[in-house]
Each structure stands twice: as structure tokens, then as C-alpha cells.
Amino acid sequence: MIAQEVYDQYFNALLKGDRVRCTQMVQTLLDQGIDIQVLYRQLFEKSLYQIGEMWEQNLISVAREHLVTAITENLLNLVYPFLFSQRKLERKVIISCAANEHHQIGGKMVADIFEMNGWDSYFLGANTPTDQMISFIGEIKPDLVGLSLSIYFNVPSLQQGIEAITREYPELDIIVGGQAFRWGEISFLKKYSQVQYMKSIEDLENQLKKE
Amino acid sequence: MESLQTSTESIFEAFLDYSSGLFLVLDKSGRILKANAYAKQQLGKQIVNQMFDRIILDFYSTFELSAVERELEDSQPSDVVHALNVKHISGMPQTYLFRFCFTDKTIYAFGELNNDELESVRKEILGLNEELNNLTRELHKKNALLEQLNREKNQFLGMAAHDLRKPIGLAMTYSDFLIEEAGPILDEEQNGFLSTIHKSCVFMKRLVDDFLDVSAIEAGKFDLDLHPSSTFEVLEQSLRLNQLQAAKKDIRLKVQTPQDIPKVMMDASKIEQVITNLVSNAIEHTAPQTTVAIELSVKADHLVFSVEDEGPGIAPGELKRLFEPFEKTSTKKTGGEKSTGLGMVITRKIIEAHEGEIWVESVLGKGTIVFFTLPMTWRGHG
């Protein structure tokens, strides 16, 4: 559990773009043995959602939002020495952002959550062309594909991606999630029987623990 | 009407003041008469009364307002744009796109940042940052996999070496026994076969022992049994093992130590292993009827131990490879002895575990000196 006071200090440093202070705070939490999943949910995810809301309300600029995202993405590197040394299951997942989707941090955090739960995750990054994703699926043969979407007007790209995957690999399970669906409509996903929507990192974790 | 005009002008001036562009009013000589608030904030309050050309960084040519005025005679002010590097208050120059307007008595200069360029740079940097972070993630993942494979390799190496140790030991003992007991009734060729079997067993046992040491070191199971120990006794015990080897090549072991050295915290058996290995290496690399010098001294709060041979020396390029596993230098051993390529790796690990240092100095054609230190004040870990 991250104390509100610690979160507030971190958030203020993040908002100011104080990368050094944020790094120190995350490193201290890691040295204190914080649960990585708690760090992801209560610090990284929470602060990014809060920043996203501030941007939506025009309280911060696009540039500031990008700076905050870039800092958070750098902070994830501090966690990786702990993350990848965990016990592995024989399960593989490919996480990708839809084509034209330039926000990758949410998808990357989802890939990390899979790693924490013993999966072997492959993260393809932002704006992955659909044909490249299809060919990578053929190469890796994953048990699951996750598609991340941050901006709702990229829904057509997401649908295109889902349809391409289901055409080539009709049996392959797909999960979708991301900031885009916080206020957006998700009913269009109902027509794809193998697609499941994940509302948050917590939902995903609960689902993974059930398996 | 007049008041409305005054009011419009003041509103306009207020907008100019807070716009994110440099708005400067100059006299005909180029002196800055007036600057908007943004310009003072970006370039410093002292810019008023400075000459315009003093606020820009001009590396190769001199910027002249008169040339701009001539340029404007045939063009519209919006078409004549000069990218000028301005001395920013932060010390980092910034490039502004300047447009000018000349009147009879005054010059108006308006500089703005090239937002399109800044935006494309920002996008590029963000993209590079993402790419770098994705690669870092991949690197950490691969690293974790390599560490896992290394652990498995060490586990296998340890198990294999452990299982090989006993049969090799038996073959070594029995071949030795046969040489002693059956030697006199066997012919020369048969004795030669037995001797080869025995020598091979000795080498294999050394290799297996080294493998076990390396596997323990890499698995982090390299525990030191620390006690305050007499360096003299450790040295004496090590040299006892080396004497026979030196005598076979008629090599003199010259030992120099100070009168009195207090006991030092160490794992005596491991330091003995280090000294035996270093002296053994020196004997193997030096020609018969020469000297190997062993010296022990005290420097500040460290014991300094050195072994010097009169061998052919090691080429400078090969020195750094000396402590790498399975690396062998081009220097040949004078008695045809075999090396496992692990002795110096283990030696370094033992010294580093004692928080000491080890290094080598060598001159081609003259010989090699290996030094190591042990801290005298060290009390060990935990």
C-alpha cells in the first residue's frame, strides 16, 4: 500500500517533470521491498490516469502529458531487474498497440503484468502495422494477444486489427483495453466472440490469478 | 474616438506584451528602445538599451540591419525571415525566426520560435525514448534468461564435476600404486603408459577441482571460513607444496618477508590455494636453473604479496585476458605443463572475496610479477 503522502509527493514531482526525484522515490520503494503490482497500480497507473484527466480538462498541455509519460516509462526500467527474474509458466502473450495508436505505456504495463504472473510477454510497441503483428503472431504462436487503445478515434484501427487476427487465427483469444474505453462505447466488441475487454490492470490481474 | 483608439492601442500592447514572441522596438542605429514582457523574460531585463546585434550569436557573418532594410525594398515584411540564434537567459541559445519592419525613425523586430520544427523534434525525441525503453525492456528480459541459463549451466557443471571427481581420484591413486608396485617388473614402454595415465589423471582432477570452484563461485556459494591467521604459516605451508615442483626444474625459491606481521583475517586454506597457484604458475613459466622470488611486505594498512619469475613475460595485449576463463596466453610453459585456464579466475575471485586486489606487471623477455593485497584491518563480512 502506498501512503497518500508518498503518492502526492511523487505526483507533484512527476507533474513538475522532476525525473531525478521520481527515480529516487521509486528506487526507495523498491529498496523497501514494495510489491511490484502495488507499485504499478497505486503509483504508475493512478498517476497516469490523473494526468490524463488533467489533460482532458485542459489543465496541462500535451507536451507536459508527454513528458510525464516519458518519465514514467523510464521508471519502469527500474522495476525490470525484479520483474523478469520471476518464475515462468509455459504461456505466451503478445501485447501490441493498434495501428496509428501512438501511446504505448499502457500496453507496456499490461505486458509487464503478464510477466509478473509468470507469462512470457512480447511487447510490440506503439503504432504496430497490422501485417507485422500478424506475422509476429505466426512466429511466436502466443496463447493470447492483447491490444491496447488510448485514443477512442483509433477504434477503426483496433477493429481492423481484431478482424485481421481473427481471419488468420480464428481460435486465438484476444483481450483489449486502455484509456480509450474509459468514456467510450464498448458494445462494438460484442460481435467478436473471442475478444474480452479488460477494464483495468486490477481486472486483468484478477483474471490471470483465476487461471 | 480618441479614448477608444488609446484603449485599443493599450489592449494591443498588452497582448503583445504577453504573447510568446519577442517584440522589440529599435532606433535606426539598432539600439533596443523597447521590449515586450516575454522578450525581457527570455533574454533578460537588461536587453533594453543594448544593440540588437549584441543579443544574437553570430558565428560566421555579421548580421546587419541595413542589409535587411535593403532586402525589404523589394519584398513584403512577411516574406523576409531571418533565423537568428538568440542568447537566452538560461545560457542555451534559441533560434527565433525574425521579421522586421522599418519606418522613418524606428525598426520593429518580431521573433518567434519555429513551432513546426520544435514539434517535429519533440515527436522524434519521444519516439527515440520509447524505442530506447522498449530495447531496455528487451535487454532486461534477455538478461534474466541468460542468468537463468547460467545458473542451470553451473548446476550441471557442479553435478558433472562432482560425479567425475571420485572415479578420476581412483584412477589416479591406482595408477600411482601400479607405478610404485609394478614399475620394476614392467618394461620401459609399459611404465611410460602408466606414467601418461597418472599425469592425465592429475590434470583431470585439477580441472574438475577448478570446475567445482568456478561453479561454486558463480552460484554465489563461495563462502569464506574466516579466522585471524598467520601469513607466515600460510606462506610456509604453500611453499612446501611448491618446493618439489621447483626442485624438479632446479628452480630456486627466494623468499623475502618482514620480521613481524600481525595475524590477518583470512580464509587460510583459500589464500594458501592462491599462493600455491601463483608460485606454481611462476615455476611452470620460468626456465630451469633460474629463480622465482616471493616477497611479502606491508604497505599502509595492506599486506602486499608478490611472485616474480624470470620467464618470457606476457605481451601487454594479453595481460587483460589473464583473468578471463579458459583464456591462455601465448607464453609457453617451459616444462610442457598443462593449464586448465581457470586458475587465475579462481585466484582473482578469492582475493576479491577478501576485499583485496590482484594485478600483473610484465616485461617481455624479462619476466612477470603478480601482486595481490589483503587488507589488514578487514574483519570480514557478517
Side-chain angles (χ1 to χ4, degrees):
Chain A
M1 179 77 187
I2 291 176
Q4 188 61 39
E5 193 189 339
V6 174
Y7 174 79
D8 290 342
Q9 281 175 18
Y10 169 82
F11 186 78
N12 288 333
L14 189 64
L15 199 56
K16 276 188 216 157
D18 189 344
R19 184 173 54 87
V20 176
R21 177 79 185 121
C22 291
T23 306
Q24 281 168 348
M25 291 191 74
V26 171
Q27 192 59 60
T28 305
L29 288 167
L30 287 168
D31 292 344
Q32 287 166 353
I34 190 168
D35 185 330
I36 299 174
Q37 295 171 6
V38 169
L39 191 69
Y40 267 57
R41 278 201 313 265
Q42 297 181 12
L43 200 71
F44 297 149
E45 187 186 40
K46 189 175 167 185
S47 56
L48 286 171
Y49 274 7
Q50 196 176 341
I51 291 287
E53 279 166 20
M54 289 176 81
W55 174 68
E56 284 164 4
Q57 293 164 26
N58 287 320
L59 294 172
I60 57 164
S61 67
V62 177
R64 178 70 46 183
E65 188 254 334
H66 284 170
L67 176 66
V68 164
T69 309
I71 290 174
T72 310
E73 206 168 335
N74 284 322
L75 295 174
L76 297 184
N77 293 333
L78 297 175
V79 181
Y80 291 150
F82 304 93
L83 190 79
F84 292 116
S85 57
Q86 308 206 353
R87 191 180 57 84
K88 287 278 166 280
L89 305 168
E90 292 295 315
R91 307 205 70 185
K92 290 185 274 189
V93 60
I94 290 178
I95 304 291
S96 177
C97 299
N100 302 320
E101 174 58 68
H102 290 270
H103 296 77
Q104 69 164 21
I105 192 164
K108 196 175 197 176
M109 285 168 67
V110 166
D112 294 347
I113 294 294
F114 274 97
E115 286 285 341
M116 287 174 211
N117 285 277
W119 286 57
D120 200 0
S121 73
Y122 296 82
F123 177 63
L124 301 189
N127 188 22
T128 307
T130 306
D131 54 345
Q132 279 184 24
M133 182 171 63
I134 295 293
S135 102
F136 199 67
I137 292 171
E139 196 184 316
I140 299 295
K141 299 182 176 52
D143 300 282
L144 184 70
V145 170
L147 296 175
S148 167
L149 196 74
S150 294
I151 306 286
Y152 195 75
F153 60 67
N154 283 330
V155 161
S157 291
L158 176 77
Q159 282 184 286
Q160 217 176 32
I162 292 173
E163 279 157 21
I165 295 170
T166 49
R167 221 174 11 249
E168 291 283 329
Y169 307 100
E171 303 297 316
L172 186 58
D173 287 329
I174 302 169
I175 56 165
V176 298
Q179 275 281 70
F181 303 107
R182 280 188 87 200
W183 318 115
E185 178 58 49
I186 57 161
S187 59
F188 74 93
L189 290 171
K190 282 181 188 155
K191 65 176 169 177
Y192 308 109
S193 59
Q194 72 280 52
V195 176
Q196 198 183 349
Y197 168 62
M198 287 292 152
K199 203 171 120 199
S200 64
I201 283 182
E202 198 172 359
D203 272 11
L204 174 66
E205 282 197 298
N206 292 337
Q207 181 75 26
L208 289 173
K209 285 196 170 79
K210 270 189 224 162
E211 290 187 6
Chain B
M1 188 65 192
E2 196 179 314
S3 72
L4 180 65
Q5 197 173 356
T6 313
S7 156
T8 309
E9 273 171 15
S10 60
I11 290 167
F12 193 62
E13 202 161 313
F15 279 144
L16 270 182
D17 231 13
Y18 296 104
S19 77
S20 50
L22 308 174
F23 184 69
L24 307 171
V25 183
L26 322 174
D27 66 16
K28 293 296 269 188
S29 72
R31 183 172 302 281
I32 298 168
L33 303 173
K34 211 172 168 189
N36 68 338
Y38 179 77
K40 287 178 191 163
Q41 187 196 332
Q42 298 297 306
L43 313 182
K45 282 180 184 161
Q46 71 286 358
I47 62 159
V48 176
N49 281 329
Q50 271 192 29
M51 297 302 286
F52 182 74
D53 58 5
R54 294 290 304 278
I55 67 164
I56 56 173
L57 290 168
D58 222 345
F59 298 106
Y60 300 109
S61 60
T62 309
F63 176 76
E64 285 177 16
L65 285 162
S66 54
V68 180
E69 190 171 18
R70 281 196 298 279
E71 218 179 327
L72 280 168
E73 281 168 10
D74 306 318
S75 320
Q76 290 296 315
S78 57
D79 297 336
V80 178
V81 184
H82 287 265
L84 299 175
N85 296 313
V86 173
K87 294 172 193 166
H88 191 261
I89 198 164
S90 67
M92 289 283 284
Q94 279 187 344
T95 306
Y96 281 83
L97 300 178
F98 269 94
R99 287 182 172 82
F100 297 90
C101 180
F102 288 74
T103 62
D104 290 345
K105 290 182 181 168
T106 317
I107 306 168
Y108 297 94
F110 182 71
E112 57 184 339
L113 291 166
N114 186 345
N115 281 328
D116 290 346
E117 188 184 54
L118 287 177
E119 185 58 21
S120 75
V121 170
R122 186 169 71 90
K123 268 189 188 159
E124 191 61 26
I125 289 174
L126 285 170
L128 286 172
N129 187 53
E130 282 184 350
E131 212 171 297
L132 187 68
N133 281 317
N134 291 350
L135 285 172
T136 307
R137 184 182 192 274
E138 203 55 31
L139 195 67
H140 277 291
K141 197 173 167 169
K142 290 266 191 289
N143 200 31
L145 181 67
L146 284 175
E147 278 175 6
Q148 175 62 25
L149 290 172
N150 196 36
R151 275 196 295 276
E152 286 168 13
K153 183 261 297 172
N154 284 331
Q155 212 175 347
F156 168 77
L157 200 67
M159 276 161 56
H162 191 263
D163 289 349
L164 283 171
R165 208 165 183 258
K166 199 174 173 189
I168 292 170
L170 284 173
M172 193 174 85
T173 312
Y174 288 134
S175 59
D176 196 27
F177 174 72
L178 275 177
I179 289 168
E180 269 188 33
E181 296 294 316
I185 56 165
L186 296 174
D187 64 23
E188 196 181 328
E189 192 183 24
Q190 288 165 331
N191 267 309
F193 291 156
L194 270 180
S195 169
T196 305
I197 292 171
H198 183 70
K199 276 183 194 163
S200 300
C201 287
V202 170
F203 175 72
M204 279 196 290
K205 185 170 177 298
R206 221 170 101 198
L207 191 62
V208 162
D209 286 345
D210 282 358
F211 272 154
L212 280 170
D213 276 348
V214 168
S215 122
I217 288 166
E218 294 209 353
K221 292 176 189 162
F222 190 66
D223 296 326
L224 296 179
D225 185 15
L226 295 169
H227 297 285
S229 308
S230 156
T231 323
F232 293 121
E233 281 173 23
V234 173
L235 184 59
E236 204 175 306
Q237 181 60 25
S238 314
L239 295 182
R240 202 171 292 151
L241 297 167
N242 292 118
Q243 285 292 357
L244 186 67
Q245 188 191 6
K248 278 185 187 169
K249 287 176 84 172
D250 197 15
I251 286 171
R252 188 166 77 97
L253 297 182
K254 184 179 143 196
V255 183
Q256 199 177 337
T257 62
Q259 288 289 318
D260 187 33
I261 296 178
K263 287 188 171 182
V264 172
M265 188 66 88
M266 66 171 90
D267 182 327
S269 71
K270 292 223 161 48
I271 295 299
E272 194 183 302
Q273 185 184 345
V274 167
I275 299 172
T276 306
N277 182 42
L278 295 181
V279 176
S280 172
N281 275 348
I283 294 169
E284 286 172 0
H285 284 97
T286 203
Q289 295 169 336
T290 54
T291 301
V292 168
I294 298 118
E295 191 180 335
L296 186 61
S297 58
V298 176
K299 295 246 166 76
D301 54 355
H302 280 75
L303 271 185
V304 182
F305 185 94
S306 68
V307 182
E308 182 175 7
D309 67 36
E310 294 177 15
I314 304 164
E318 293 184 333
L319 277 177
K320 59 184 172 205
R321 286 182 8 223
L322 214 58
F323 296 102
E324 297 295 322
F326 304 110
E327 286 287 349
K328 292 173 189 176
T329 61
S330 56
T331 315
K332 294 277 174 285
K333 296 189 177 184
T334 53
E337 299 93 335
K338 277 185 172 178
S339 159
T340 64
L342 292 169
M344 288 303 271
V345 179
I346 297 164
T347 297
R348 188 182 70 172
K349 293 282 182 188
I350 293 173
I351 296 302
E352 284 176 354
H354 282 81
E355 300 205 345
E357 284 180 54
I358 184 163
W359 71 98
V360 181
E361 291 173 8
S362 189
V363 179
L364 276 176
K366 284 199 166 176
T368 302
I369 316 177
V370 183
F371 297 88
F372 76 81
T373 64
L374 290 177
M376 294 173 75
T377 49
W378 187 55
R379 308 313 305 161
H381 292 297

